[in-house]
Amino acid sequence: MESRAVTRDDVAKVAGVSPATVSHVVNNGPRQVSKETRQKVLSAIKALDYRPNAIARNLRMQKTNSIGLIIPDNKNTFFSEIALGVEQVAFDSGYIVFLGHSAYRHDRELSYINMFISQQAAGVIWIPGSEDPTAARNLENFNIPYFLLDRVIQGVDAPSITVDNFHAALWAVQHLIELGHQRIAFIKRPTDLSHSIDRLNGYMEALNQAGISFNASYVVPGGFLLKDGYEAGQKILALSPRPTAIIGYNDLNAIGAMKAVQVAGLRVPEDVSVVGIDDIAQSEYSCPSMTSVRIPEYKMGSLSAELLIQLINKKLPEEKRNTCLQGELIVRDSTAPPPPSSSD
Amino acid sequence: MESRAVTRDDVAKVAGVSPATVSHVVNNGPRQVSKETRQKVLSAIKALDYRPNAIARNLRMQKTNSIGLIIPDNKNTFFSEIALGVEQVAFDSGYIVFLGHSAYRHDRELSYINMFISQQAAGVIWIPGSEDPTAARNLENFNIPYFLLDRVIQGVDAPSITVDNFHAALWAVQHLIELGHQRIAFIKRPTDLSHSIDRLNGYMEALNQAGISFNASYVVPGGFLLKDGYEAGQKILALSPRPTAIIGYNDLNAIGAMKAVQVAGLRVPEDVSVVGIDDIAQSEYSCPSMTSVRIPEYKMGSLSAELLIQLINKKLPEEKRNTCLQGELIVRDSTAPPPPSSSD
DNA sequence: TTGTAAGCGTTATCAC
DNA sequence: GTGATAACGCTTACAA
């Protein structure tokens, strides 16, 4: 039962050929094998149910076909769709994906990077959960190609795929301003990273362009879950004068904020408009009155895998080294805002 | 730049000791190393930034520390939480996870199983997307321990962690019957697997126990996404006499059905009650009036990894080979149903 | 067209 | 307490 695994030499023995010939049949080259010999080898392989040992192959070839992927949290649909995109492309290209969660912690990030180095990963795709450049430097020291996703790290000049977060937020605010809103609240990420800072900057720039003065109390921190948005929404609704619109820095907290509005007995969008940045929670069904700036997260994953594989094969064109994807405004609340209240 | 990787021999040379000694320092044994020698080795390791090559180690040891995981679809929160649970436990135990998506297709499932065999995975965790036993047989032939998650395969006697789907559905229906409902519709999985059959059986058994005759037209197929539930909900609302309650075979299609109810100008739960099986979409915020039977999907993932590792180490107690987890009824709509319509 | 053998970076079994 | 050396299963240059 607990018998030794079938190796290439076993196949060679049964087929009555040399081990090298078996290799050349298995790999379809680089040497020619006569039709007759090939047939003998193939039937021996089938008879023994021989599976080439990828570990031995990897050691000999000094390279693997595995790609390391680190995302902060697979519970967050934004990241799980990215992981899906990475896996699909990797699979189609014969790569296999190691999945790690950083939980936004740099020590876990670093552990995974070090594991990937040990495992001789062919490349790494990675959504940084912190600003620490150590992990990136490690990969560089070991010449492992990598792509940063969604966020960049200050001082690290690496291949990356990001989203134009500045314009995503800018468009969201402009949309609301066009509808006549003046008091626009913004739920921001509690601990800032490059992408959340960009969104906040887009928010401020849009206000600035419209000549609306910035009110710091309208910027409320909140996590990215429904309950976080709910709580942030409650804080926002308690402000005076009450904002007439809320932008969530992601779609889930926007939906949570929307619930807070409804629970407070107010209507969306007649009393308070809500806009989410990103739209993975399928708002057209769950929140038909919520406008969103849709971010192509699946595309981020699939594209990053595609480009990483090009990078591994040293075929990545320079102009694709840093790609920035645009979000798309999906308008679902065309209703005009309420008439200005007395304090305006 | 493109220099050869630092190996154990390089470290030995710099430290002025033999390669074997380096190994024993790196692995903390099995041999004793004098404090002085150890220090020389450690500083050489640091100076050269030496990382042991896991591939070479795996080949020599004839085993790896990787676990293969196959889920149908990472976009589905149910599966992505499972993946999260698996990864957390694996990481804490020093294992690394290969992630594969089957997309419910057996050919992809089989491809991944074969990749895992090639990669000499220490174990496999796997949510079967089909009833085909081939993949399971393959793992058995290669003595790779595995756990089936969420579903079982007919004719395959394997370690498994499942959910008591029968009672999950039974409780959902009993809850509705207690509220006075008689016409209860059920959104079922379009293509049946063991777990969805169990849910349907639970539905029928509860009706049976309550002496309510089964109405086949009240069982409507629908996928597991919001839009699928929305469409199934529309079909259900068009039935005559109209059901007063809808059970979704998962929470997302239940939420979709709820939207259909609202769009039709009806109230939830006064006109139509909705119950979802599972509750990962955080219904307390997104659908405060939807009752759910919560299924512990994170626990499924973490427990499966824990037990798989025990199985790998031949320490799995027989009684833990097949575990069935219970769902939990979360009641959010205590409102009584509308008075019976004329046709009753 | 095929066989032989070196070597990938480890661990483990020998000696010393 | 330490140093040589034989595997592990494979790819591939070199012989035949």
Side-chain angles (χ1 to χ4, degrees), chain A residues 52-329:
Chain A
N53 182 326
I55 299 293
R57 178 174 215 276
N58 289 340
L59 177 61
R60 177 58 232 242
M61 304 268 287
Q62 293 286 78
K63 66 172 195 180
T64 69
N65 62 340
S66 58
I67 290 177
L69 170 65
I70 306 176
I71 61 178
D73 176 12
N74 204 39
K75 214 187 309 196
N76 185 324
T77 326
F78 185 80
F79 301 127
S80 57
E81 285 228 19
I82 288 178
L84 185 62
V86 169
E87 186 272 352
Q88 305 276 28
V89 171
F91 178 83
D92 290 340
S93 310
Y95 286 86
I96 186 164
V97 175
F98 282 121
L99 176 68
H101 298 121
S102 68
Y104 304 95
R105 281 171 40 194
H106 185 67
D107 59 328
R108 282 191 65 127
E109 231 170 62
L110 204 52
S111 296
Y112 268 111
I113 295 288
N114 288 335
M115 280 171 120
F116 296 158
I117 291 173
S118 264
Q119 297 286 345
Q120 319 289 113
V124 171
I125 294 171
W126 170 34
I127 302 171
S130 82
E131 282 289 335
D132 192 313
T134 316
R137 299 290 175 234
N138 272 335
L139 289 174
E140 285 157 16
N141 290 341
F142 287 88
N143 292 314
I144 298 181
Y146 68 97
F147 254 90
L148 293 184
L149 230 58
D150 191 37
R151 303 160 193 180
V152 294
I153 302 174
Q154 262 198 333
V156 173
D157 172 34
S160 65
I161 297 178
T162 48
V163 164
D164 187 345
N165 290 293
F166 177 84
H167 282 99
L170 186 95
W171 295 335
V173 178
Q174 284 181 338
H175 166 74
L176 290 168
I177 292 174
E178 275 166 25
L179 289 179
H181 290 272
Q182 295 277 318
R183 299 195 304 275
I184 302 171
F186 187 88
I187 305 176
K188 80 182 263 293
R189 196 177 194 281
T191 55
D192 282 315
L193 289 174
S194 66
H195 73 309
S196 59
I197 294 171
D198 290 345
R199 290 183 189 179
L200 188 56
N201 284 338
Y203 163 80
M204 295 202 291
E205 174 61 21
L207 293 182
N208 189 39
Q209 284 179 6
I212 300 173
S213 64
F214 172 71
N215 180 342
S217 69
Y218 282 4
V219 176
V220 174
F224 42 72
L225 299 177
L226 280 169
K227 73 172 178 57
D228 302 317
Y230 184 82
E231 288 159 10
Q234 290 183 312
K235 281 181 204 142
I236 288 167
L237 295 175
L239 293 173
S240 172
R242 194 176 71 210
T244 62
I246 301 174
I247 296 179
Y249 101 95
N250 83 355
D251 64 332
L252 277 184
N253 66 17
I255 294 175
M258 174 173 285
K259 292 297 159 187
V261 172
Q262 290 167 345
V263 166
L266 299 168
R267 292 160 304 163
V268 179
E270 291 84 352
D271 297 320
V272 179
S273 280
V274 179
V275 175
I277 297 184
D278 208 350
D279 192 49
I280 34 193
Q282 302 191 60
S283 303
E284 66 269 36
Y285 293 97
S286 59
C287 295
S289 52
M290 190 176 94
T291 286
S292 310
V293 181
R294 177 145 187 47
I295 286 175
E297 64 290 323
Y298 179 88
K299 178 80 186 172
M300 288 183 71
S302 59
L303 183 61
S304 68
E306 193 183 318
L307 298 184
L308 177 68
I309 292 171
Q310 292 181 11
L311 184 56
I312 291 171
N313 298 322
K314 305 195 189 301
K315 293 220 165 67
L316 182 73
E318 181 59 29
E319 72 270 19
K320 289 188 177 167
R321 231 180 85 93
N322 295 284
T323 304
C324 186
L325 300 174
Q326 294 294 333
E328 177 196 359
L329 186 71

Side-chain angles (χ1 to χ4, degrees), chain B residues 22 27 39 43 51 57 59 69 72-73 101-102 146 197 214 231 245 292 340:
Chain B
V22 177
N27 303 330
Q39 207 37 253
S43 46
R51 314 292 179 106
R57 177 172 214 275
L59 176 62
L69 170 65
D73 176 13
H101 299 121
S102 67
Y146 68 97
I197 293 171
F214 173 70
E231 288 159 11
S292 311

Side-chain angles (χ1 to χ4, degrees), chain A residues 8 23 27 31 50 53 57 60:
Chain A
R8 189 201 47 167
S23 277
N27 303 330
R31 190 194 278 177
Y50 163 71
N53 182 326
R57 178 174 215 276
R60 177 58 232 242

